[in-house]
Amino acid sequence: MRDNPSCEAQQIVSQAEIALDRDLFFRRMLRELTGTIEAIVGVEEASGYVATVGAAIGDWINTAYHAKAGPEDFDIRTVAAVLVHLKQRLEGGFYIKSIDAKQIVLGNTNCPFGHYVQGRTSLCMMTSNVFGRIAADNLGYARVGLERTIAQGHGECHIVVHLVPRENVMPDEREYFRVPADLSI
Amino acid sequence: MSDMICLKALDLLDREITIIDISGTVIFANEEARDLIGAKPGDTEAFGQFAGLWSEPAEEVRAVIRRLAGSSGWQPITLTRKSGRHAGLRIPMRGRAFLIEPNDPRSLYILVTSDRHRERSFEHHRRLIRHLNVQLAEGSRSEVLLTGLLESERRMRQELVHRVKNNLALLLSLMRLNRNRLDDPEIAGPLEDMERRILSIATVHDLLDRNQETDFVRADELIDRICAELETALVPGTVRIQRDLTPVRLHISDATPLALIINELITNALKHAFPQGIGTIRIRLGKNGGKTLKAVVQDDGVGATADTCESGQGTRILQALAQQIRGEIVRSVESGTTWQLTFTPREADEYPLSSRVH
């Protein structure tokens, strides 16, 4: 008498070592989604969409840290610590290279999106917006420069969060402003 | 001077440029944006609140402005125009913030511009509307021109009808004058028959002229007029012509042969049916089901023999006229003679366009 074929198939499937879990699924989905958007509307337009999402995520994370640490603005060192901490929570390899009154310099050895970020430069707008939003909302102004990124094919990211405005902004930089809370908009 | 040049250059751009301050007030709009906003041409201020331009709730628009105000990165937005000729249209735009004074956070402004990339379908839509508007204007001008030409043509046709009527009346007068000089009844009789046929045609034109028509007459009025003319000219007081006529409009292409047929049948009846000079002729015109008409001319006289009628010139004329209106005419002889004509009047679209427009 033969074994039930459907039970045998179930056993094969359950024992298969497929690299699939919820985290991988979402990262893969994000890669495909951003790839599709970049292909259809272009990298610049796709970056605009990701920036919109990044701003909302930045707001959300900033609010979450303030909910624990109090409503007062964070100082530069705390902001830098928050940036590194939030990325570590996402399994990123971010670390502080240097801090002074004018800028926070960060490095990153491991992107939270993993290798799925390669070739998807619009996803870097997530980091720029989250970092810029948190820094500007606490320190008044931020200008994030993504000088080197894993997405572009570099081995490590090199990110500078400038804290002082200047007249000329470099092409790879984005400015973030704190919108005064007392304004009517 | 350089400010004026910059403003002029911004006005010349083929995309909307709007600048909003951090209170949400529109402080600048170039010419394209003024058109979109619905501001009067030349307006350079008093554009009001940005949130007031859109159908979305003001709080939702303010959240969009606040989001744009937070970054120098271009971000896409889409809002629905509240009023003006673009009312109800979803407008794809992109916006970003910029700082005028690096150390003054209150010098923050938001630049909003139409999104050329996403606007393609909108622009296509707008071009289509412009194209349709141009076509509509051209169509309206053509309609005015064509209406004028048709009116002119109608007046000319009315004038033609009037002149034909007068010429036929003149022709009849000349024929009567000549006939009255003739002593030989063998010659005068056929001339009189010809006069009555011409009179039937003249009656069609007289009705057209009286009613200021060019192509259609009431068949019941036409038959009634023919009967009245024959009563005056031919019918002795002892012969009656009874009419039962349904009102129906006929094109002159059908009405003229019908007038000739009715004239021929009444004349024949008067000539042959009543040797004693006493009798009745009944004429009916009505619908025979569907679009077919039936005209019946019936007398209560002695009737003519079939051989005589079918070989006579009058009968050949009758058959030819019936064919002309794609009809059929049949005769039956019992206590008197009955002629029955059935035909389907041509539809209005079987005639030239000018015949149908009044």
Side-chain angles (χ1 to χ4, degrees):
Chain A
M1 190 174 180
R2 290 181 61 191
D3 289 341
N4 187 335
S6 64
C7 287
E8 191 178 347
Q10 269 185 350
Q11 197 173 8
I12 292 169
V13 170
S14 63
Q15 288 174 354
E17 292 183 359
I18 303 296
L20 178 62
D21 58 25
R22 192 162 66 169
D23 178 55
L24 278 177
F25 171 78
F26 283 116
R27 280 192 278 179
R28 178 79 196 198
M29 189 187 75
L30 270 175
R31 176 179 173 76
E32 298 305 327
L33 187 60
T34 49
T36 302
I37 296 172
E38 285 180 9
I40 291 172
V41 301
V43 174
E44 193 183 347
E45 292 296 322
S47 298
Y49 297 142
V50 177
T52 302
V53 178
I57 297 287
D59 259 343
W60 171 56
I61 293 174
N62 188 44
T63 304
Y65 277 100
H66 277 290
K68 294 291 180 188
E72 292 78 21
D73 290 342
F74 299 141
D75 61 16
I76 295 176
R77 291 194 175 279
T78 309
V79 167
V82 166
L83 302 185
V84 171
H85 181 255
L86 77 90
K87 286 291 190 182
Q88 282 173 347
R89 294 290 299 270
L90 303 174
E91 298 181 16
F94 282 74
Y95 63 95
I96 297 169
K97 286 185 169 176
S98 67
I99 300 177
D100 62 40
K102 293 183 178 176
Q103 62 184 35
I104 301 167
V105 182
L106 299 156
N108 174 35
T109 54
N110 185 39
C111 180
F113 294 115
H115 66 274
Y116 295 108
V117 80
Q118 286 179 358
R120 297 288 185 271
T121 51
S122 63
L123 279 175
C124 296
M125 281 303 107
M126 188 63 74
T127 297
S128 175
N129 273 269
V130 170
F131 282 12
R133 187 77 272 128
I134 292 171
D137 280 348
N138 288 281
L139 304 172
Y141 172 85
R143 189 174 70 255
V144 179
L146 304 170
E147 296 185 4
R148 291 192 297 277
T149 63
I150 295 171
Q152 289 173 325
H154 296 108
E156 203 174 292
C157 298
H158 182 80
I159 300 159
V160 182
V161 183
H162 302 274
L163 302 172
V164 180
R166 73 169 177 219
E167 285 289 338
N168 299 314
V169 177
M170 302 301 286
D172 64 342
E173 293 177 341
R174 276 175 185 251
E175 290 180 294
Y176 298 89
F177 311 104
R178 174 158 62 183
V179 181
D182 61 330
L183 295 176
S184 57
I185 58 170
Chain B
M1 186 65 181
S2 61
D3 284 352
M4 284 180 63
I5 294 170
C6 289
L7 289 174
K8 182 68 181 173
L10 286 171
D11 273 346
L12 293 174
L13 278 177
D14 61 350
R15 65 170 60 189
E16 294 84 21
I17 305 285
T18 307
I19 298 174
I20 309 160
D21 68 15
I22 48 174
S23 73
T25 304
V26 178
I27 60 161
F28 172 80
N30 73 344
E31 196 65 46
E32 285 279 323
R34 289 198 289 274
D35 181 47
L36 182 71
I37 289 169
K40 291 174 186 168
D43 270 2
T44 54
E45 54 187 19
F47 303 119
Q49 285 285 305
F50 185 73
L53 304 173
W54 312 100
S55 295
E56 284 78 6
E59 194 51 47
E60 192 179 315
V61 181
R62 280 196 284 271
V64 168
I65 301 170
R66 185 172 279 276
R67 170 162 65 80
L68 296 178
S71 167
S72 69
W74 287 103
Q75 292 183 56
I77 60 170
T78 303
L79 293 168
T80 311
R81 278 292 297 128
K82 187 198 277 183
S83 58
R85 61 192 179 91
H86 298 296
L89 278 182
R90 301 264 294 158
I91 313 290
M93 295 171 282
R94 57 208 301 259
R96 55 160 290 178
F98 61 99
L99 204 55
I100 295 293
E101 294 294 335
N103 296 314
D104 179 8
R106 289 180 181 269
S107 66
L108 188 62
Y109 295 92
I110 301 127
L111 174 63
V112 176
T113 177
S114 51
D115 190 330
R116 277 300 182 207
H117 188 86
R118 293 191 300 141
E119 202 190 22
R120 271 181 206 150
S121 58
F122 172 67
E123 185 58 31
H124 174 71
H125 187 185
R126 201 160 50 178
R127 272 203 300 271
L128 196 62
I129 290 173
R130 279 187 193 140
H131 179 65
L132 288 173
N133 281 338
V134 169
Q135 282 194 324
L136 188 64
E138 285 175 359
S140 297
R141 281 194 292 272
S142 298
E143 188 189 0
V144 169
L145 180 68
L146 289 172
T147 304
L149 287 172
L150 283 172
E151 178 58 25
S152 171
E153 195 218 354
R154 198 177 71 86
R155 280 199 299 270
M156 287 169 67
R157 287 162 65 84
Q158 276 183 346
E159 180 61 24
L160 188 65
V161 165
H162 183 70
R163 289 183 187 185
V164 169
K165 184 200 81 170
N166 286 347
N167 288 340
L168 287 173
L170 179 63
L171 180 65
L172 279 170
S173 298
L174 291 172
M175 287 183 77
R176 278 195 197 110
L177 194 65
N178 287 326
R179 178 170 54 80
N180 289 337
R181 289 177 186 162
L182 295 172
D183 296 327
D184 188 350
E186 290 291 316
I187 302 173
L191 264 181
E192 202 172 348
D193 288 345
M194 185 60 67
E195 275 176 43
R196 280 192 293 275
R197 287 166 188 155
I198 293 172
L199 182 63
S200 297
I201 299 170
T203 304
V204 173
H205 284 80
D206 189 44
L207 280 175
L208 287 173
D209 193 37
R210 278 169 188 264
N211 297 325
Q212 294 192 314
E213 294 265 11
T214 55
D215 299 283
F216 286 86
V217 292
R218 283 261 301 273
D220 52 312
E221 284 182 7
L222 175 65
I223 294 173
D224 190 56
R225 281 281 302 277
I226 291 168
C227 291
E229 297 280 358
L230 290 171
E231 277 173 334
T232 307
L234 286 176
V235 179
T238 49
V239 175
R240 292 185 302 149
I241 301 179
Q242 292 180 345
R243 285 92 118 177
D244 177 13
L245 307 170
T246 301
V248 57
R249 271 167 67 86
L250 282 186
H251 190 270
I252 52 170
S253 302
D254 289 329
T256 306
L258 177 68
L260 289 167
I261 289 170
I262 296 295
N263 170 72
E264 211 67 30
L265 292 176
I266 296 173
T267 305
N268 281 348
L270 290 169
K271 279 183 182 174
H272 305 296
F274 309 114
Q276 305 301 319
I278 300 170
T280 303
I281 301 170
R282 293 186 179 83
I283 300 172
R284 291 195 305 276
L285 175 71
K287 294 192 175 170
N288 192 31
K291 296 176 178 173
T292 307
L293 289 179
K294 182 165 75 174
V296 178
V297 177
Q298 184 178 37
D299 67 61
D300 59 356
V302 296
T305 64
D307 291 344
T308 306
C309 285
E310 283 169 8
S311 61
Q313 188 192 16
T315 303
R316 284 199 300 275
I317 291 172
L318 286 171
Q319 294 295 348
L321 290 168
Q323 280 176 11
Q324 201 175 327
I325 54 176
R326 297 182 294 187
E328 188 183 7
I329 188 164
V330 292
R331 187 195 62 170
S332 57
V333 180
E334 289 178 3
S335 57
T337 303
T338 301
W339 288 88
Q340 184 170 296
L341 168 71
T342 52
F343 70 104
T344 305
R346 273 165 274 203
E347 300 283 343
D349 59 8
E350 291 183 67
Y351 305 108
L353 182 65
S354 60
S355 303
R356 288 183 268 134
V357 181
H358 296 285

